[in-house]
Amino acid sequence: LGVWYKSRTAGKAAVGASWKAVFDILRMLRVLRVLRLVKHSPGLQRLFRTLLFSLPSLFNVGGLLALAFFIYAVLGMNLFGGVAWQTACGDGDAACNFLTPYAHYGDFSTAWLTLFRMSTGEAWNAVMHDTMFSQERFGGSPATVIVFHLPFVLLVQFLMLNMFVAVILENFTTPDNEK
């Protein structure tokens, strides 16, 4: 009897939980009511028009950025993917904390996410240091690590991400009658 009751109540709890999720999503959509203010504010209308006119250029810059990520992820896999993150630093090695299951060059998706993390400025130099440590440990050249990471950071962090801002500012300063 207890098994039958548990099976009956488990299904109802799952259905109730799914309806709760639907209501939570609908409750979150109430935030979109703020967009009604756009009709009454010329400044907000200009900002939304600028964003709308910037989208094609932003997709071009985003595609170029994705291409750079793809190239560097493949290069990172070829140069540093032979050393698994577990063996790169050893167990409990205090000098190597940033090559983790979520940040290494062993496979394409993790290499891509590692590069994305580095493009935000999140411990890119620590990942570079740990990769240098693993290269030295396994007979590779630490100079290869520097030649790989520094151009990536300069290209992505300082050039490409600022291009997004430049595209939006260029469309913001262009008069409305030229668009």
Side-chain angles (χ1 to χ4, degrees):
L1 186 64
V3 174
W4 176 81
Y5 178 74
K6 286 181 184 177
S7 67
R8 299 292 287 169
T9 56
K12 289 181 182 178
V15 170
S18 66
W19 279 108
K20 183 182 181 316
V22 169
F23 286 128
D24 286 344
I25 291 172
L26 290 175
R27 202 173 303 132
M28 285 190 316
L29 291 177
R30 287 190 296 179
V31 173
L32 296 177
R33 289 189 290 184
V34 174
L35 295 178
R36 289 188 290 176
L37 295 174
V38 173
K39 290 187 279 188
H40 305 294
S41 174
L44 283 176
Q45 286 177 355
R46 185 171 181 210
L47 283 174
F48 276 98
R49 256 194 327 269
T50 300
L51 183 62
L52 185 67
F53 288 130
S54 299
L55 283 179
S57 298
L58 290 176
F59 283 126
N60 291 339
V61 173
L64 195 58
L65 189 61
L67 180 65
F69 272 81
F70 177 81
I71 291 170
Y72 272 92
V74 170
L75 274 173
M77 284 175 38
N78 287 330
L79 293 173
F80 316 119
V83 178
W85 67 270
Q86 299 97 335
T87 60
C89 301
D91 293 330
D93 195 348
C96 196
N97 295 326
F98 292 94
L99 287 180
T100 66
Y102 308 108
H104 59 85
Y105 296 104
D107 58 76
F108 182 76
S109 60
T110 310
W112 185 289
L113 288 175
T114 302
L115 292 172
F116 179 77
R117 174 181 158 185
M118 289 171 47
S119 72
T120 64
E122 173 70 27
W124 71 268
N125 55 344
V127 172
M128 181 180 73
H129 176 267
D130 289 353
T131 309
M132 284 175 61
F133 181 75
S134 69
Q135 284 291 98
E136 286 175 345
R137 188 172 184 176
F138 291 98
S141 172
T144 308
V145 178
I146 294 171
V147 170
F148 175 80
H149 285 87
L150 284 182
F152 175 77
V153 168
L154 291 175
L155 178 74
V156 173
Q157 266 188 351
F158 302 124
L159 184 65
M160 294 293 240
L161 294 180
N162 285 328
M163 284 177 65
F164 281 104
V165 175
V167 165
I168 292 174
L169 286 178
E170 186 232 338
N171 282 324
F172 191 69
T173 57
T174 304
D176 290 333
N177 57 4
E178 291 182 17
K179 294 178 182 176

